[in-house]
Amino acid sequence: MMEDLIKSLPKVELHLHLDGSLRVGTVLELAEDQGVDLPSTKPRELKNYLQADKECESLKVYLSKFKIPLMIMQTKEALSRVAYELVEDGARDNLKYLEVRFAPLLHTEKLSKEEVVESVLEGLKRGEKDYNIKANLILSVMRDQDPSKSIEVAKLALEYKSNGVVALDLAGNEGDYPPQLHKEAFKIAKEGGLHRTVHAGEAAGANSVKEAINSLSAERIGHGVRIREDKRVLDYIIKKEIPLEVCPTSNLQTKVVEGIKEHPIREYYNLGIPVTVNTDNLRVSNLTLSEEYINLYNNFDFELNDILKLIINGVNAAFISNEYKEELRREFKGKFEEILNNFDH
Ligand SMILES: [Zn+2]
């Protein structure tokens, strides 16, 4: 019963990787169309190559699940289709606003970087129209790419700023590549009026979060699980009310935390940090945003009121105008009331 209620609530998703969210059936069809060999053509077996287990062994295994998606996401048709389907999947889960992210330079085997971004934007826009939902795009810089490449991505993001690209993200191997390497790209993004979010405090400690804010002017932090390792960084996040894009299931799968009870989401929430709830990857983590909220309700002692607050935190932290935030808050609060009233009866 409570599960149905949580599913029916309107939501926003801020941390969602396009290449980690493909449907198994779509992977099969795209591979066949493109003549790409898959390790298996049986959906049930192929799933194992695209999804991490509940007890995934490591971050390395988790990241291996992106290999097949990257092979088949090299054409305009494929990029447009997977972007469209992600909006469709979001709408089915009652998302009203989402921010999709991907690293454009990983998709340029056959296409120019402009064609890559335009194809994804085209798919998102078709989805927006068909499902009455808003979907913005975040371009990711990969940490292991040469800084000249990250500058290229920042400039690319600026080119499409008025067409749905809202921010620059830093993703990939956090342990070996500190944020400072990509300082110039984030400077360009900031000066050009783009938002900034950085994966930090996931594979590396609190210092990586500090650098993401100091060197890259990050406005939001992806994950931020390990912030608590340094009291000063934690206090700073609390004081500045920096939103965290938390992805609890993903954190468990990549072993950032050993078990649910060790996850700091509840602690951060209690400290007043604007925590937002996200899936990271619909396919790799094999879950929907509603399921993640149900997980929080069942395993982290979040009450229904907290769930509503977490959803509104997402609206507040979205990379959209204040007017649009206000509009979403009004719409969401009206919907919450309506749903709760029906639930009582
Ligand atoms: Zn991520």
Side-chain angles (χ1 to χ4, degrees):
M1 200 66 173
M2 183 53 81
E3 298 191 353
D4 291 338
L5 184 145
I6 290 175
K7 188 168 188 313
S8 68
L9 296 170
K11 302 172 192 73
V12 305
E13 163 97 83
L14 304 180
H15 191 123
L16 183 60
H17 294 267
L18 180 63
D19 49 347
S21 301
L22 272 49
R23 298 176 188 167
V24 178
T26 299
V27 173
L28 280 168
E29 286 177 25
L30 288 175
E32 200 188 341
D33 289 351
Q34 299 175 18
V36 170
D37 276 334
L38 293 175
S40 169
T41 49
K42 295 195 183 84
R44 204 177 293 171
E45 283 174 18
L46 181 61
K47 255 188 180 180
N48 297 327
Y49 292 90
L50 301 168
Q51 264 170 220
D53 297 339
K54 278 267 171 290
E55 294 303 324
C56 176
E57 303 90 287
S58 66
L59 179 60
K60 208 174 147 214
V61 174
Y62 191 89
L63 294 177
S64 72
K65 311 292 179 182
F66 294 88
K67 204 176 142 219
I68 293 172
L70 284 179
M71 279 160 55
I72 55 164
M73 288 167 67
Q74 301 293 343
T75 68
K76 288 183 186 178
E77 296 73 25
L79 288 165
S80 168
R81 175 172 173 180
V82 297
Y84 177 84
E85 289 181 353
L86 188 49
V87 176
E88 186 174 55
D89 289 342
R92 285 180 182 158
D93 197 31
N94 283 315
L95 267 57
K96 301 295 172 206
Y97 173 77
L98 69 159
E99 285 171 10
V100 176
R101 65 184 73 192
F102 85 119
L105 298 190
L106 300 181
H107 302 268
T108 50
E109 276 174 25
K110 299 174 195 144
L111 302 171
S112 71
K113 55 186 189 289
E114 288 82 9
E115 286 173 322
V116 169
V117 172
E118 282 165 23
S119 303
V120 171
L121 284 171
E122 192 273 323
L124 295 179
K125 288 195 191 318
R126 262 190 307 126
E128 285 182 330
K129 234 165 97 197
D130 286 357
Y131 293 99
N132 186 30
I133 176 174
K134 179 78 191 147
N136 280 329
L137 187 60
I138 297 174
L139 298 190
S140 298
V141 163
M142 300 307 292
R143 289 174 184 269
D144 60 352
Q145 281 174 340
D146 189 84
S148 66
K149 295 284 176 194
S150 57
I151 290 170
E152 218 178 288
V153 177
K155 289 181 177 164
L156 184 65
L158 279 176
E159 257 182 75
Y160 294 94
K161 196 186 137 200
S162 55
N163 208 12
V165 175
V166 292
L168 196 65
D169 165 49
L170 182 62
N173 184 345
E174 189 189 2
D176 296 328
Y177 299 89
Q180 299 90 302
L181 291 171
H182 302 283
K183 199 171 173 168
E184 188 57 30
F186 280 77
K187 188 167 169 256
I188 291 168
K190 188 182 178 187
E191 286 173 0
L194 279 170
H195 291 287
R196 287 88 50 205
T197 178
V198 174
H199 284 70
E202 183 188 17
N207 199 46
S208 171
V209 175
K210 196 170 113 191
E211 282 309 318
I213 295 165
N214 289 345
S215 300
L216 307 186
S217 308
E219 296 161 88
R220 296 193 321 227
I221 296 295
H223 301 292
V225 176
R226 294 178 58 183
I227 288 168
R228 61 181 166 184
E229 290 174 11
D230 187 328
K231 176 93 171 55
R232 283 162 306 175
V233 179
L234 182 63
D235 286 343
Y236 185 84
I237 297 283
I238 297 168
K239 191 170 143 235
K240 296 282 179 185
E241 299 184 0
I242 295 176
L244 304 183
E245 305 156 358
V246 183
C247 314
T249 296
S250 165
N251 297 151
L252 280 165
Q253 289 175 321
T254 58
K255 296 275 185 294
V256 180
V257 288
E258 277 308 317
I260 279 177
K261 295 293 166 212
E262 280 84 53
H263 198 286
I265 186 168
R266 181 78 218 196
E267 176 191 341
Y268 289 170
Y269 176 82
N270 288 349
L271 287 168
I273 296 172
V275 171
T276 70
V277 178
N278 308 276
T279 57
D280 214 4
N281 297 285
L282 297 187
R283 174 84 297 109
V284 183
S285 284
N286 187 28
L287 89 163
T288 64
L289 186 59
S290 291
E291 285 165 354
E292 191 68 295
Y293 274 107
I294 291 164
N295 176 30
L296 293 181
Y297 182 83
N298 289 334
N299 297 309
F300 290 84
D301 301 325
F302 282 101
E303 302 290 334
L304 186 55
N305 265 338
D306 301 316
I307 300 289
L308 302 182
K309 181 146 191 276
L310 288 166
I311 292 174
I312 295 297
N313 281 353
V315 174
N316 295 339
F319 291 147
I320 52 177
S321 70
N322 286 333
E323 292 74 35
Y324 185 36
K325 283 183 196 181
E326 187 51 44
E327 186 187 321
L328 278 179
R329 275 192 295 262
R330 251 202 318 270
E331 181 192 330
F332 278 31
K333 283 175 180 168
K335 265 266 160 38
F336 291 167
E337 213 169 299
E338 192 184 303
I339 290 166
L340 294 185
N341 281 341
N342 285 338
F343 188 63
D344 281 343
H345 296 146

